[in-house]
Structure formats: structure tokens, C-alpha cells
Amino acid sequence: MFKKILVPVDGSDSSIEAARIAANLAAKNEGDITLLYVVRLVQYGIEGVELPEPTATKPAIEYGNAMLARIREEIGSSQAELVLAIGHPAHTICAKADEGKYDLVVMGSRGIGGLTGTLLGSISQRVSERVHCPVLLCRLPQGVEEEHKIIKSMPNDYVIYY
């Protein structure tokens, strides 16, 4: 049923859990998974001066590639395709899902609620509202807290963006 699965990851424990679930689904359905890491654009400028085009920093791109490789290793899915994209996460995830004609998006959700969730929203919420295919949101089991194990284990020469 779900042969082509897109898994946006950010290094959080819930995104790694989503990648594990997606790998299991793909294996059971003889499908494929793509791990996607989105580097956010950074815009520098001075007030009153025309801003240059937003850019992605080289360390952020290097970090994203390293993060993808670590997550693929962590979930034990050597066949997972790794894709690094640059842009706004929710918009980029939806665009990649559409372009790649994915059957399913599997992503972690940290369950941001209350006032923070209302004011900021969440990437998973935006994706689930806009993407063309079904979205499976994965959370950590009740009582298990995000520890950012992968992020904390990354080498010190990478700048952490989350």
C-alpha cells in the first residue's frame, strides 16, 4: 500500500522514532524510504538596508548531511535515500512530497500544545494540513522525554540548528 515513504527528520528523538516506524512499514510493503533534512534559510542584514537573498550556511549543510547519515545508521536502513533541502521546513517537506509523488509522509511530533502551539503552530501540523498524501505523526511513548540523543552525540565541530 505505502511503497514510497518520505520521512522528514530533525535529529529529535521523535523524528528518529518516525524513521524507525517508516523503515518497518517500507520493509513490510517492499517499499522505499527517503530521509529528508531541511536546512532553514538564514537572512542577514541591517535595518534600513536592502536585504540580500536568504542563504544557508556551509556548517548547516554539513551538519544536515552528517545528521542524515547518523539517522540512517541509527535505524539500520542502509537502503534509505538521503535528501538535504534548503528552505522553510513545512513548505519544503510538502513540495518534496508532491514532487516525489510519495504515498505517505511519516514524521515525528513533539506534541506542542497550549499557547505555544496556538501561537507558533508546528511543522507537523502545517504539513498535515497541506500535503497531498496521508501523514503519520509519531510520538515517543508516554513518559519518555526528548533527550536529543543523536543531536548531542554529533561532533563538536558542527553547529546545532534546532
Side-chain angles (χ1 to χ4, degrees):
M1 179 178 202
F2 298 118
K3 295 267 187 197
K4 200 168 178 189
I5 303 171
L6 180 64
V7 188
V9 293
D10 62 2
S12 66
D13 298 340
S14 58
S15 76
I16 295 164
E17 181 66 17
R20 279 192 190 98
I21 290 168
N24 286 335
L25 275 172
K28 288 178 182 175
N29 292 303
E30 298 177 1
D32 300 309
I33 68 168
T34 300
L35 300 176
L36 170 66
Y37 182 85
V38 180
V39 176
R40 293 176 190 257
L41 289 172
V42 178
Q43 193 164 31
Y44 301 99
I46 301 170
E47 189 174 335
V49 177
E50 186 174 326
L51 293 174
E53 285 293 312
T55 60
T57 64
K58 185 177 177 184
I61 293 169
E62 290 172 356
Y63 173 79
N65 284 321
M67 177 71 64
L68 285 167
R70 289 291 296 272
I71 292 172
R72 178 169 60 186
E73 181 182 313
E74 175 78 17
I75 66 169
S77 182
S78 62
Q79 300 301 316
E81 180 183 0
L82 305 180
V83 175
L84 182 126
I86 299 169
H88 182 275
H91 174 77
T92 304
I93 293 165
C94 291
K96 291 290 180 190
D98 289 341
E99 289 167 14
K101 298 181 180 164
Y102 287 89
D103 301 318
L104 178 67
V105 174
V106 179
M107 60 191 305
S109 174
R110 290 184 222 157
I112 298 173
L115 187 57
T116 303
T118 302
L119 294 176
L120 300 177
S122 72
I123 293 169
S124 59
Q125 178 184 355
R126 289 186 195 120
V127 169
S128 66
E129 291 171 352
R130 296 184 177 118
V131 74
H132 76 280
C133 61
V135 177
L136 174 60
L137 298 179
C138 304
R139 293 190 184 169
L140 294 174
Q142 189 170 0
V144 176
E145 305 246 347
E146 287 276 353
E147 293 181 39
H148 300 288
K149 292 176 201 140
I150 291 284
I151 293 171
K152 288 179 181 176
S153 69
M154 295 293 288
N156 291 334
D157 55 338
Y158 290 109
V159 178
I160 296 177
Y161 298 90
Y162 70 92

